[in-house]
Amino acid sequence: MCGIIGINSNKPVSATIINSLKKLEYRGYDSAGMATINNGLINEVKSEGRVENLEKNSLVQNMEGTIGIGHVRWATHGLPNSINAHPHSSQNVSVVHNGIIENSTILKKFLIGKGHKFKSQTDTEVIVHLITENLKTDNIVDSIKKTLKSLHGSFALGIIFKDQPDLIVGARRGSPLAVGYGPNENYLGSDSYALKSMTNKITYLNDGEFCIIKRDHVEFFSEEGTKINKKVLKLSSTEEKYDKGDYKHFMAKEIEEQPNTIKNGINEYLDMSNKDINIYNFPWKSNEITSITLIGCGTAYHSCLMAKYWFEEITSLDVNIDIASEFRYRKNRFKKDTLYVFVSQSGETADTYAALDLCKQSGVKTCAVVNVVESSIARDSEFVLPIHCGTEIGVASTKAFLGQILILYILALKLALWRKDIEKNNFNKKIDDLKKLPKLIEQTLLIDNKIQTISNTFNEAKGSMFLGRGFSYPIALEGALKLKELSYIHAEGYPAGEMKHGPLALIEEGMPVVVLAPRDNYYKKTISNMQEVIARGAKVLLITNKSKDEVISENIWETIEVESTNEDLLPFLLTIPLQKLAYYSALKKGYDIDKPRNLAKSVTVE
Ligand code: F6R
């Protein structure tokens, strides 16, 4: 995680660094800091907490200098306080870092032996002292090359030097880094998003590369220190304006935007006049794929799980899913006829990227389902299916989840059609139902008041459970994840049928349990499981869909009915009340909904 910005300009940079750091807060918000060079000295200012704390710091307001680096931190080594905040500086060198230096303990020992004094508990500080040490004998390029060779682990770095006040060094291994080009100034940033307000001309560094950013030009170097040429890419759009509008939080806005998320996806991928799916330039023939493996983290993993149910139902493909952090360390048997699909909102998640990298090294087929189309995962996959849900700011993924599952559902339908696994009539019917989905989501979003009251019970409880079967099981996991990350309430998602194999022991008088039981193939079975938890004292919130048939069960605490549609699409609607439940629970607790504690929007460390 952590966000990096660097600016080399002919005008003061501190205000622009602060603005860029605000954009980067989705990468971490434990602390923030910046350093500039002015009058032959490195000035460093750091604050605990949000960028607004840094902005209010009087030292920043008076900070001069036309070259500088800034950082937002998501703590890995050392407490989230102002001492451990970046930049870390010696007298000569100042460094901002995203990643983890795995051999920092050994390096620190070596550097202390050489007389270097450490101020923080971070792994980053070793980089500062290593460069300082190497600069005693080497020029900038050689000292950087040597330093990078000594580091184990992952990093994106921004470095400034007191004695070279006209340049910023950027370097990358594992963690992403981009260079931007402006008029009489050039930039360094963790990603294009941070740079978009300043430029749409970007170069991405590849693993092992480093660069020297001067005001009027940028030089790139390979790991060996050889000069290399790199392409300048033009980003597709200029900066997207994104604010909360009349909403209190981005999350509330993003939940309400979901009908549009689905509309955008439908407009992009469905050919309504021909009842077909537009997936152009798909690089493989349908007979070249016999199985599919879906990989992601967190909510994106839940999208993969959701997709597994659909792919198995609609296609004859073998389907596997994996959590990226597990996939990358297992002994995988890569198969040429498997399509490996990487699901990610940010497209920068370190574990998902590493899993993609492994697949690329094995020469198998790779496809990305991402929101950020300029991201590393999108750039490095053979084929990309964008989610088109627009920028998602709230740390808890909402509209990106619906966007991801929509695209995966569409992919399942298209592969089924290509492979003749689905009859055209059935396919057409599913396309017609899909077209109606935005309206149904809009109607389901109206359930506000009831959920607000219900959320009180969850807030007062020690813990809660979310149960579902079949298509509803991934949604139960997602509902539990949303509640725990936003309201800090223990919540467990479970397959409804598994309760009696252990977790039933947790149920006690008054424990809130969400049961997802839409009128699908699993309905009766789930209702039986619901009765088992009610019999043990649980307060059940039943979430089902509207139907002419009454729910036959006694002692249900509360019922919420979403709109009705075909079985495949019910998961989209069931998600809505769960997102709202998490939102209102956190709102009532007064928590920071868009930036829950200990988390970051883009998880760029493993
Ligand atoms: C939870 C959430 C996270 C992300 C996960 C993967 O609400 O947002 O679990 O889904 O960190 O992130 P991406 O999708 O950017 O790869």
Side-chain angles (χ1 to χ4, degrees), residues 297-300 343-349 352 395-397 404 478 481-482 485 601 603:
C297 299
T299 289
V343 182
S344 174
Q345 187 287 127
S346 63
E348 298 294 351
T349 300
T352 312
V395 163
S397 214
Q404 286 161 2
E478 176 58 8
L481 176 62
K482 287 289 98 96
E485 76 179 311
K601 183 73 183 153
V603 184

Side-chain angles (χ1 to χ4, degrees), residues 31-49:
S31 58
M34 59 192 279
T36 60
I37 300 174
N38 191 36
N39 286 336
L41 289 175
I42 293 175
N43 313 306
E44 181 194 275
V45 188
K46 319 199 265 197
S47 296
E48 194 176 322

Side-chain angles (χ1 to χ4, degrees), residues 240 254 257-270 279 295-297 299-301 303-304 341-349 352 367-375 377-378 383-392 397-411 572 601:
E240 185 184 354
E254 286 157 5
E257 279 172 356
Q258 293 179 110
N260 270 340
T261 302
I262 303 301
K263 263 186 220 156
N264 291 346
I266 288 177
N267 290 341
E268 196 65 32
Y269 290 101
L270 294 198
I279 294 184
I295 299 162
C297 299
T299 289
Y301 170 72
S303 300
C304 299
V341 178
F342 301 87
V343 182
S344 174
Q345 187 287 127
S346 63
E348 298 294 351
T349 300
T352 312
C367 170
V369 173
V370 291
N371 193 30
V372 183
V373 287
E374 293 101 4
S375 62
I377 292 173
F383 189 64
V384 184
L385 292 167
I387 297 163
H388 294 297
C389 75
T391 308
E392 188 180 66
S397 214
T398 51
K399 62 177 183 174
F401 176 65
L402 284 207
Q404 286 161 2
I405 62 174
L406 175 75
I407 305 312
L408 292 169
Y409 182 64
I410 287 175
L411 180 63
F572 289 88
K601 183 73 183 153

Side-chain angles (χ1 to χ4, degrees), residues 20 106 122 133 176-177 308 427 458 473:
S20 306
I106 300 169
T122 65
E133 185 62 29
L177 200 60
K308 179 178 167 72
F427 176 88
F458 282 83
Y473 166 50

Side-chain angles (χ1 to χ4, degrees), residues 40-180:
L41 289 175
I42 293 175
N43 313 306
E44 181 194 275
V45 188
K46 319 199 265 197
S47 296
E48 194 176 322
R50 302 286 150 84
V51 176
E52 62 180 12
N53 297 351
L54 182 70
E55 190 177 21
K56 283 183 201 146
N57 192 318
S58 57
L59 292 173
V60 164
Q61 284 162 14
N62 301 319
M63 205 160 180
E64 294 192 14
T66 57
I67 185 163
I69 48 178
H71 189 265
V72 285
R73 178 167 186 247
W74 185 86
T76 58
H77 288 60
L79 293 172
N81 58 28
S82 59
I83 295 173
N84 291 328
H86 300 209
H88 293 282
S89 311
S90 65
Q91 264 205 346
N92 303 327
V93 178
S94 188
V95 173
V96 286
H97 167 218
N98 170 29
I100 294 177
I101 304 303
E102 287 164 359
N103 57 340
S104 61
T105 315
I106 300 169
L107 291 173
K108 192 168 176 177
K109 225 172 176 181
F110 161 77
L111 288 159
I112 289 172
K114 293 257 174 199
H116 290 266
K117 300 235 168 347
F118 283 76
K119 294 177 258 185
S120 75
Q121 301 161 304
T122 65
D123 52 341
T124 304
E125 209 179 341
V126 298
I127 307 172
V128 178
H129 293 290
L130 258 185
I131 300 172
T132 309
E133 185 62 29
N134 290 334
L135 276 172
K136 287 180 185 165
T137 49
D138 297 318
N139 62 24
I140 296 254
V141 171
D142 288 340
S143 68
I144 294 297
K145 202 174 77 179
K146 209 185 220 176
T147 303
L148 302 185
K149 271 216 168 97
S150 313
L151 302 176
H152 297 173
S154 64
F155 52 78
L157 301 172
I159 312 161
I160 52 173
F161 307 83
K162 179 188 75 133
D163 297 332
Q164 295 274 346
D166 61 337
L167 60 87
I168 301 175
V169 167
R172 135 164 216 202
R173 190 196 296 150
S175 309
L177 200 60
V179 167

Side-chain angles (χ1 to χ4, degrees), residues 415-428:
L415 289 177
L417 194 66
W418 271 335
R419 297 167 56 80
K420 302 194 174 40
D421 290 334
I422 189 169
E423 288 192 358
K424 188 70 170 94
N425 278 351
N426 191 10
F427 176 88
N428 288 352

